């Protein structure tokens, strides 16, 4: 092992040791903080898997349109199907923590805004976190932009209020929310309380007329109809459009006859085209289900419903919501905690941002050190850093003005899209589709369209720069 | 640092996209390969690990051959022969 590799290995142990110290130290202070440890270590696992598999939801859609590569959409579908299987078991046994979201056209629009943003920035919300762990400062800038744009957007009013339909305003103010919350002010508040909350929640179990918390509802409705069939159909479409032609060309070149066997082999070859991505998808899918199971188990063991009870018990309950809760999804989520970090900073700088629904009623703005679910994202960066260090792939990357510009624009669009869709590529797409929530597929449809627009733009941009670069080299012209 | 694409000899080219993140390296690589003739080789310099995975899949799909892959502390140098 050379010097650089052994140095990287030492740093990997240091980073792991730091997270071990946080989880053990907090547990030593109060056993309730094992809850923090659970979030932390699942985040760490997600980070390691994401980095190992180069697992980025942005890449799933973008690489299809940009370079015709389906490896990532395959990896994501593998993860979704496996998570769907474990999630269905949790739903059927009544221990699922999943909350379905309202479905409607807003999911598609939110996904589209998010989709454009993730192509511009070079990575989705979870992808940017893991790339930050590789030492990529541009990805860190994306994470910061997601955080800032969300924290600002959820409290933005003024001229934006003039764009709110009167019906949204009327419905929002008639909700009877706690007095400290002002649902009649701010665009996002009126969008949520005046529009989104009235949209129907659609789960595939319900569509088939099956009780959700039953084995038929969970496995036939949510899993088979809501996950397995759509995922398989999507992969077949991807195979036919992006993979089949190239595979059959190679197959024929080898003198083999075409037919059903060739198609089946072609499909399987596409699925296994990147073993790293497939393996990562497999582990993420299982870990995401296990994560929910562990969080539910801890809630039952300690008799708590929400992490705010832990913060109150340990005297760190600054920033809890008007109803005494904090953000505590109980499963993998990414963008909300990032908004909370900046929300807390802005609040400390004097911005009164606790009257809006997002911070004041739904999530709170706890100190980032005591934001238990927030540790999931911090450790995701750490897990990715450890994996990158162990594979000698960690490299500090300085931003250029061009990439920093795309990072800020893309990150901001992702932040806005995440708040419109009540989640990002993980919370609004991955988790919801795996749990048979139709809103997840609608968000995915929007991401697909948004990514297409983003790629069209970047193809034009790339060609323009290549043409400039080659302008003086006539010999390079085809 | 800016992207750099140049002809380094008869039938050999070099593309330097170090410092770039997704999707730029794979887009520039695809664009560069499209400008080259069958049998030409491209020396590709990049340092974004996830782009490598996409470029490898892209080459496999198009039939382009990756002749050499060198990795050094998060920086990569690949030699690709266009099909």
């Amino acid at each position: 092992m050379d010097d650089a590799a052994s140095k990287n290995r030492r740093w990997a142990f240091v980073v792991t040791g730091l997270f071990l110290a946080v989880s053990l130290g907090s547990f030593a202070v109060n056993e309730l903080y094992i809850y923090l440890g659970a979030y932390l270590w699942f985040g760490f696992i997600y980070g390691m898997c994401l980095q190992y598999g180069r697992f980025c939801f942005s890449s799933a859609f973008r690489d299809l349109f940009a370079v015709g590569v389906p490896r990532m959409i395959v990896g994501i579908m593998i993860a979704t199907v496996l998570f769907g299987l474990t999630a269905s078991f949790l739903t059927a046994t009544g221990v699922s923590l999943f909350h379905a979201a309202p479905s409607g056209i807003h999911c598609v629009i939110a996904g589209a805004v998010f989709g454009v943003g993730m192509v511009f920035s070079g990575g989705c919300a979870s992808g940017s976190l893991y790339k930050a762990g590789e030492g990529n400062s541009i990805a860190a800038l994306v994470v910061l932009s997601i955080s800032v744009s969300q924290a600002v957007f959820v409290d933005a009013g003024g001229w934006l209020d003039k764009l709110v339909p009167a019906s949204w305003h009327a419905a929002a103010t008639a909700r009877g929310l706690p007095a400290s919350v002002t649902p009649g002010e701010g665009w996002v508040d009126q969008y949520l309380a005046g529009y989104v909350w009235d949209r129907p929640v659609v789960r595939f179990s319900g569509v088939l007329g099956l009780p959700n918390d039953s084995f038929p509802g969970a496995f036939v409705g949510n899993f088979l109809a809501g996950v397995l069939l759509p995922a398989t159909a999507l992969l077949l479409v991807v195979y036919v459009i992006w993979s089949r032609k190239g595979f059959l060309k190679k197959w024929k070149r080898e003198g083999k006859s075409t037919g059903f066997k060739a198609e089946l082999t072609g499909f399987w070859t596409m699925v296994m085209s990147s073993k790293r991505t497939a393996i990562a998808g497999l582990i993420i899918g299982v870990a995401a289900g296990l994560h929910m199971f562990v969080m539910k188990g801890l809630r039952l063991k300690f008799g708590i419903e929400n992490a705010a009870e832990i913060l109150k018990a340990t005297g760190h309950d600054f920033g809890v919501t008007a109803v005494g809760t904090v953000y505590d999804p109980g499963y993998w989520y990414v963008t909300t905690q990032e908004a909370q970090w900046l929300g807390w900073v802005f609040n400390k700088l004097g911005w009164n941002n606790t009257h809006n629904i997002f911070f004041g009623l739904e999530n709170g703005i706890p100190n980032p050190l005591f934001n238990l679910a927030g540790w999931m994202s911090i450790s995701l960066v750490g897990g990715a850093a450890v994996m990158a260090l162990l594979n000698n792939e960690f490299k500090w990357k300085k931003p250029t003005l061009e990439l920093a510009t795309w990072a800020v624009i893309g990150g901001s669009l992702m932040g806005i899209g995440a708040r419109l869709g009540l989640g990002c590529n993980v919370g609004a797409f991955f988790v919801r589709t795996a749990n048979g929530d139709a809103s997840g597929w609608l968000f995915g449809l929007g991401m697909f369209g948004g990514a297409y627009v983003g790629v069209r733009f970047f193809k034009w941009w790339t060609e323009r720069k290549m043409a400039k670069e080659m302008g003086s080299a006539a010999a390079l012209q085809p | 640092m800016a992207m750099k694409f140049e002809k380094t000899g008869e039938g050999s080219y070099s593309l330097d996209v170090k410092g770039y993140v997704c999707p730029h390296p794979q887009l520039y690589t695809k664009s560069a390969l499209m400008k080259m003739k069958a049998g030409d080789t491209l020396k590709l310099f990049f340092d974004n690990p996830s782009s490598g995975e996409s470029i490898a899949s892209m080459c496999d799909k198009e039939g382009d051959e990756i002749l050499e892959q060198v990795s050094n502390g998060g920086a990569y140098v690949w030699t690709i022969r266009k099909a």
Side-chain angles (χ1 to χ4, degrees):
Chain A
M1 193 184 293
D2 62 24
D3 278 357
S6 61
K7 196 174 159 192
N8 282 341
R9 215 176 159 78
R10 275 200 300 276
W11 272 110
F13 282 115
V14 169
V15 175
T16 309
L18 280 174
F19 285 109
L20 203 58
V22 169
S23 51
L24 291 178
S26 58
F27 181 70
V29 170
N30 192 311
E31 67 167 1
L32 288 170
Y33 279 130
I34 193 171
Y35 205 80
L36 181 157
Y39 269 126
L40 185 152
W41 289 108
F42 274 104
F44 197 85
I45 292 168
Y46 296 139
M48 291 187 87
C49 291
L50 291 174
Q51 203 284 331
Y52 175 78
R54 287 79 163 90
F55 212 90
C56 178
F57 288 67
S58 168
S59 167
F61 303 111
R62 182 197 63 216
D63 283 358
L64 268 185
F65 302 132
V67 289
V69 169
R71 63 141 191 129
M72 199 62 249
I73 191 95
V74 170
I76 284 172
M77 285 304 112
I78 290 174
T80 308
V81 167
L82 278 166
F83 182 25
L85 198 60
T86 50
S88 295
F89 178 76
L90 298 177
T91 302
T93 51
V95 295
S96 174
L97 295 171
F98 177 71
H99 295 286
S103 283
I105 188 69
H106 68 281
C107 303
V108 183
I109 296 168
V113 175
F114 192 90
V116 174
M118 71 183 184
V119 171
F120 274 29
S121 61
C124 58
S126 51
S128 298
L129 280 174
Y130 99 68
K131 287 171 186 175
E134 289 177 339
N136 185 335
S137 64
I138 301 140
L141 187 58
V142 174
V143 174
L144 181 65
S145 303
I146 293 175
S147 311
V148 172
S149 65
Q150 286 186 95
V152 172
F153 186 48
V154 296
D155 205 55
W159 66 269
L160 270 180
D161 281 351
K162 292 181 183 145
L163 305 176
V164 173
S167 60
W168 292 9
H169 180 80
T173 49
R175 288 276 174 198
L177 298 179
S180 61
V181 178
T182 54
E185 296 169 15
W187 193 91
V188 172
D189 278 9
Q190 292 169 89
Y191 164 74
L192 291 173
Y195 172 74
V196 173
W197 291 354
D198 289 326
R199 299 304 102 199
V201 169
V202 182
R203 292 189 80 171
F204 284 88
S205 53
V207 172
L208 296 185
L210 300 165
N212 190 57
D213 295 343
S214 69
F215 273 86
F219 283 98
V220 179
N222 293 341
F223 179 65
L224 183 65
V227 185
L228 191 59
L229 292 179
T232 309
L234 180 62
L235 289 181
L236 282 173
V237 170
V238 169
Y239 170 67
V240 170
I241 298 177
W242 282 281
S243 193
R244 184 172 180 267
K245 197 176 156 192
F247 173 78
L248 290 181
K249 210 164 102 182
K250 261 197 273 180
W251 186 263
K252 283 180 194 162
R253 223 173 21 229
E254 290 165 11
K256 296 174 183 167
S257 58
T258 53
F260 185 67
K261 191 186 167 197
E263 303 289 0
L264 213 59
T265 311
F267 186 77
W268 183 247
T269 304
M270 179 188 82
V271 170
M272 294 308 292
S273 61
S274 172
K275 283 200 179 66
R276 290 179 82 115
T277 307
I279 290 168
L282 205 135
I283 300 173
I284 287 172
V286 174
L290 195 62
H291 186 179
M292 207 185 268
F293 183 74
V294 168
M295 299 315 291
K296 178 70 179 182
L298 289 174
R299 287 185 189 183
L300 289 173
K301 176 175 168 50
F302 294 111
I304 57 168
E305 286 295 319
N306 182 273
E309 294 164 52
I310 298 174
L311 301 188
K312 285 173 194 163
T314 53
H316 297 291
D317 57 347
F318 170 81
V320 299
T321 66
V323 289
T325 58
V326 287
Y327 163 72
D328 177 22
Y331 45 86
W332 192 18
Y333 236 79
V334 175
T335 42
T336 299
Q337 54 267 47
E338 294 169 4
Q340 286 178 297
W341 295 337
L342 264 290
W344 178 82
V345 171
F346 289 157
N347 185 272
K348 290 293 169 192
L349 291 173
W351 184 340
N352 176 19
N353 56 1
T354 53
H355 59 86
N356 65 63
I357 289 173
F358 184 75
F359 288 136
L361 185 66
E362 292 182 330
N363 301 298
I365 44 166
N367 182 322
L369 285 178
F370 299 102
N371 186 341
L372 307 190
W375 278 94
M376 183 163 47
S377 285
I378 298 169
S379 62
L380 194 158
V381 177
V386 166
M387 186 57 91
L389 285 163
L390 290 176
N391 288 311
N392 295 319
E393 291 179 331
F394 186 91
K395 185 173 186 282
W396 290 112
K397 201 177 284 180
K398 282 186 285 185
T400 61
L401 183 62
E402 180 196 348
L403 295 180
T405 306
W406 297 130
V408 171
I409 295 172
S412 301
L413 284 173
M414 277 199 284
I416 292 168
R419 292 295 33 100
L420 292 175
L422 319 184
C424 62
N425 55 289
V426 171
F429 176 66
F430 176 59
V431 175
R432 286 182 195 151
T433 49
N435 281 275
D437 179 350
S439 74
W441 288 110
L442 292 175
F443 190 85
L445 184 68
M447 279 204 294
F448 197 76
Y452 180 76
V453 172
V455 166
R456 294 295 299 175
F457 172 80
F458 266 130
K459 272 192 165 176
W460 167 80
W461 180 263
T462 305
E463 284 303 321
R464 185 175 151 272
K465 285 193 75 176
M466 284 297 269
K468 251 188 193 174
E469 179 71 11
M470 293 164 56
S472 57
L476 289 179
Q477 302 304 324
Chain B
M1 98 177 257
M3 175 275 294
K4 198 170 179 189
F5 180 48
E6 56 189 3
K7 187 168 185 173
T8 53
E10 199 48 51
S12 56
Y13 297 85
S14 158
L15 174 66
D16 188 344
V17 282
K18 287 199 302 293
Y20 278 90
V21 295
C22 288
H24 305 271
Q26 47 265 53
L27 278 173
Y28 281 125
T29 304
K30 184 179 184 183
S31 191
L33 287 166
M34 281 170 67
K35 312 281 180 202
M36 293 161 48
K37 288 188 287 222
D40 288 352
T41 58
L42 176 72
K43 200 158 212 172
L44 172 66
F45 300 83
F46 66 103
D47 56 7
N48 188 47
S50 56
S51 291
E53 204 73 13
S54 298
I55 291 166
S57 297
M58 182 177 80
C59 290
D60 182 54
K61 189 171 169 245
E62 299 297 325
D64 301 327
E65 194 182 352
I66 301 174
L67 301 172
E68 191 183 27
Q69 290 175 296
V70 180
S71 156
N72 184 17
Y76 306 85
V77 184
W78 288 13
T79 308
I80 303 168
R81 181 160 57 208
K82 185 181 163 79

